[in-house]
Coordinates of all heavy atoms in Angstrom, one line a residue:
A623 N -45.0 11.8 7.3 CA -44.7 13.1 7.9 C -46.0 13.9 8.0 O -46.2 14.6 9.0 CB -43.7 13.8 7.1
C624 N -46.9 13.9 7.0 CA -48.1 14.7 7.1 C -49.0 14.2 8.2 O -49.7 15.1 8.8 CB -48.8 14.7 5.7 SG -49.3 13.1 5.1
I625 N -49.1 12.9 8.4 CA -49.9 12.4 9.5 C -49.3 12.8 10.9 O -50.0 13.2 11.8 CB -50.1 10.9 9.4 CG1 -50.8 10.5 8.1 CG2 -51.0 10.4 10.6 CD1 -51.1 9.0 7.9
A626 N -48.0 12.6 11.0 CA -47.3 13.0 12.2 C -47.6 14.5 12.5 O -47.8 14.9 13.6 CB -45.8 12.8 12.1
A627 N -47.5 15.3 11.4 CA -47.8 16.8 11.6 C -49.2 17.0 12.1 O -49.4 17.9 13.0 CB -47.5 17.5 10.3
A628 N -50.1 16.3 11.5 CA -51.5 16.4 11.9 C -51.7 16.0 13.4 O -52.5 16.6 14.2 CB -52.4 15.6 11.0
S629 N -51.0 15.0 13.8 CA -51.1 14.5 15.2 C -50.5 15.6 16.2 O -51.1 15.8 17.2 CB -50.3 13.2 15.4 OG -48.9 13.4 15.5
V630 N -49.5 16.3 15.7 CA -49.0 17.4 16.6 C -50.0 18.6 16.7 O -50.2 19.1 17.8 CB -47.6 17.9 16.0 CG1 -47.2 19.2 16.7 CG2 -46.5 16.8 16.2
I631 N -50.5 19.0 15.5 CA -51.5 20.0 15.5 C -52.7 19.7 16.5 O -53.1 20.5 17.3 CB -52.0 20.3 14.1 CG1 -50.9 21.0 13.3 CG2 -53.3 21.2 14.2 CD1 -50.6 22.4 13.6
A632 N -53.2 18.5 16.3 CA -54.3 18.0 17.2 C -54.0 18.0 18.6 O -54.7 18.4 19.5 CB -54.9 16.7 16.7
K633 N -52.8 17.4 18.9 CA -52.4 17.2 20.3 C -52.1 18.5 21.0 O -52.6 18.7 22.2 CB -51.2 16.3 20.4 CG -50.5 16.1 21.7 CD -51.4 15.3 22.7 CE -50.6 15.0 24.0 NZ -51.5 14.5 25.0
V634 N -51.4 19.4 20.4 CA -51.1 20.7 21.1 C -52.3 21.5 21.2 O -52.5 22.1 22.3 CB -50.0 21.4 20.2 CG1 -49.8 22.9 20.8 CG2 -48.7 20.7 20.3
T635 N -53.2 21.5 20.2 CA -54.5 22.3 20.4 C -55.3 21.7 21.5 O -55.7 22.5 22.4 CB -55.3 22.1 19.1 OG1 -54.6 22.7 18.0 CG2 -56.6 22.9 19.2
R636 N -55.4 20.4 21.6 CA -56.2 19.8 22.7 C -55.6 20.1 24.1 O -56.2 20.4 25.0 CB -56.4 18.3 22.5 CG -57.4 17.8 23.5 CD -57.7 16.3 23.2 NE -58.8 15.9 24.1 CZ -58.6 15.6 25.4 NH1 -57.4 15.6 25.9 NH2 -59.6 15.3 26.2
D637 N -54.3 19.9 24.2 CA -53.6 20.1 25.4 C -53.8 21.5 25.9 O -54.0 21.8 27.1 CB -52.1 19.8 25.3 CG -51.8 18.3 25.3 OD1 -52.7 17.5 25.4 OD2 -50.6 18.0 25.2
R638 N -53.8 22.5 25.0 CA -53.9 23.9 25.5 C -55.4 24.1 25.9 O -55.6 24.9 26.8 CB -53.5 24.8 24.3 CG -52.1 24.8 24.0 CD -51.6 25.7 22.9 NE -50.2 25.7 22.7 CZ -49.5 26.5 21.8 NH1 -50.2 27.4 21.1 NH2 -48.2 26.3 21.7
I639 N -56.3 23.5 25.3 CA -57.7 23.6 25.7 C -57.8 23.0 27.1 O -58.5 23.6 28.0 CB -58.6 22.8 24.8 CG1 -58.7 23.5 23.4 CG2 -60.0 22.7 25.4 CD1 -59.5 22.7 22.4
M640 N -57.2 21.9 27.4 CA -57.3 21.2 28.7 C -56.6 22.0 29.8 O -57.1 22.1 30.9 CB -56.7 19.8 28.7 CG -57.5 18.9 27.7 SD -59.3 18.8 27.9 CE -59.4 18.2 29.6
V641 N -55.5 22.7 29.5 CA -54.9 23.6 30.4 C -55.8 24.7 30.8 O -56.0 25.2 31.9 CB -53.6 24.1 29.9 CG1 -53.0 25.3 30.8 CG2 -52.5 23.0 29.8
Q642 N -56.5 25.3 29.8 CA -57.5 26.3 30.0 C -58.7 25.8 30.9 O -59.1 26.5 31.8 CB -58.0 26.9 28.7 CG -58.9 28.1 28.9 CD -59.4 28.7 27.6 OE1 -59.7 27.9 26.7 NE2 -59.5 30.0 27.5
L643 N -59.2 24.6 30.6 CA -60.3 24.1 31.3 C -59.9 23.8 32.8 O -60.7 23.8 33.7 CB -60.8 22.8 30.7 CG -61.5 23.0 29.3 CD1 -61.9 21.6 28.8 CD2 -62.7 23.9 29.5
H644 N -58.6 23.6 33.0 CA -58.1 23.4 34.4 C -58.4 24.6 35.2 O -58.7 24.5 36.4 CB -56.6 23.1 34.4 CG -56.0 23.0 35.7 ND1 -56.0 21.8 36.5 CD2 -55.3 23.9 36.5 CE1 -55.4 22.0 37.6 NE2 -55.0 23.3 37.7
Q645 N -58.3 25.8 34.6 CA -58.6 27.0 35.4 C -60.0 27.1 35.8 O -60.3 27.7 36.8 CB -58.2 28.3 34.5 CG -56.8 28.3 33.9 CD -55.8 28.1 35.0 OE1 -55.8 28.8 36.0 NE2 -54.8 27.3 34.7
C646 N -60.9 26.5 35.0 CA -62.3 26.5 35.3 C -62.7 25.4 36.3 O -63.6 25.6 37.1 CB -63.2 26.3 34.1 SG -62.9 27.5 32.8
H647 N -62.0 24.3 36.3 CA -62.3 23.1 37.1 C -61.0 22.5 37.7 O -60.6 21.4 37.4 CB -63.0 22.0 36.2 CG -64.2 22.6 35.5 ND1 -65.4 22.8 36.0 CD2 -64.3 22.9 34.1 CE1 -66.2 23.2 35.1 NE2 -65.6 23.3 34.0
P648 N -60.4 23.3 38.6 CA -59.0 22.9 39.1 C -59.0 21.6 39.9 O -57.9 21.0 40.0 CB -58.6 24.1 39.9 CG -59.9 24.8 40.3 CD -60.8 24.6 39.2
V649 N -60.1 21.2 40.4 CA -60.1 20.0 41.3 C -59.8 18.7 40.6 O -59.4 17.7 41.2 CB -61.4 19.8 42.1 CG1 -61.6 21.0 43.0 CG2 -62.6 19.6 41.2
Y650 N -59.9 18.7 39.3 CA -59.7 17.5 38.5 C -58.3 17.3 38.0 O -57.9 16.2 37.6 CB -60.7 17.4 37.3 CG -62.1 17.4 37.7 CD1 -62.9 18.6 37.7 CD2 -62.8 16.3 38.2 CE1 -64.2 18.7 38.1 CE2 -64.1 16.4 38.6 CZ -64.8 17.5 38.6 OH -66.1 17.6 39.0
G651 N -57.5 18.4 38.0 CA -56.1 18.2 37.5 C -56.0 18.1 36.0 O -55.1 17.4 35.5
F652 N -56.9 18.7 35.2 CA -56.9 18.6 33.8 C -55.5 19.0 33.1 O -55.1 18.5 32.1 CB -58.0 19.5 33.1 CG -59.4 18.9 33.3 CD1 -60.5 19.8 33.3 CD2 -59.6 17.6 33.5 CE1 -61.8 19.3 33.5 CE2 -60.9 17.1 33.7 CZ -62.0 18.0 33.7
A653 N -54.9 20.0 33.7 CA -53.6 20.4 33.2 C -52.5 19.4 33.2 O -51.6 19.3 32.3 CB -53.1 21.7 34.0
A654 N -52.6 18.4 34.1 CA -51.7 17.4 34.2 C -52.0 16.2 33.4 O -51.1 15.7 32.6 CB -51.5 16.9 35.7
H655 N -53.2 15.7 33.4 CA -53.6 14.4 32.7 C -54.4 14.6 31.5 O -54.6 13.7 30.7 CB -54.3 13.5 33.6 CG -55.5 14.1 34.3 ND1 -56.6 14.5 33.6 CD2 -55.8 14.3 35.6 CE1 -57.5 15.0 34.5 NE2 -57.0 14.9 35.7

């Protein structure tokens, strides 16, 4: 469970960063992939 929890923390943090980067570089579709 502790590793699964760490995977969620890392994944959600990174996904939110990529959604933000999509606003800076929309032509690449970072929010989707």
Side-chain angles (χ1 to χ4, degrees):
C624 59
I625 301 179
S629 78
V630 170
I631 289 289
K633 173 68 173 168
V634 172
T635 300
R636 187 177 188 280
D637 283 358
R638 292 182 180 184
I639 292 172
M640 297 310 296
V641 169
Q642 186 181 38
L643 292 179
H644 176 82
Q645 306 305 316
C646 303
H647 309 283
V649 297
Y650 300 99
F652 289 152
H655 52 67

